[in-house]
Amino acid sequence: GEILRAAREAQGLHLAVLAASLKVAQRKLELIESNRHDELADATFARALALSMCRALKIDAEPVLARLPQPAGQRLEQIS
């Protein structure tokens, strides 16, 4: 969350403007930026929203996604 907030503030972008461009409620972005992912629908949604924020802010998503919880459930194995 801190990475996203810092990038957004460095660009002088208000949270409401980012929310409007992503077509998502500002409250959801506030939850991501304040690391309150547990208040969002689930980990998959939180990760997708964070990825969208990274793309909109034109920053590398890897460090952001590395700090977010992994989705619960089983993962598909790689098939050769």
Side-chain angles (χ1 to χ4, degrees), residues 8-76:
R8 180 181 57 76
E9 289 175 349
Q11 294 178 28
L13 189 60
H14 192 277
L15 194 59
V17 174
L18 181 57
S21 74
L22 293 175
K23 296 182 172 94
V24 66
Q26 180 176 333
R27 176 77 178 136
K28 292 180 181 180
L29 300 186
E30 290 169 353
L31 292 173
I32 289 283
E33 285 191 355
S34 62
N35 294 318
R36 292 168 42 200
H37 320 115
D38 56 324
E39 295 180 42
L40 292 167
D42 60 25
T44 301
F45 177 79
R47 293 174 68 80
L49 183 55
L51 181 59
S52 294
M53 292 173 74
C54 289
R55 287 179 180 156
L57 295 169
K58 296 178 177 51
I59 63 169
D60 183 18
E62 287 294 321
V64 174
L65 295 177
R67 295 178 183 201
L68 290 175
Q70 292 293 321
Q74 297 187 3
R75 301 186 68 124
L76 296 176

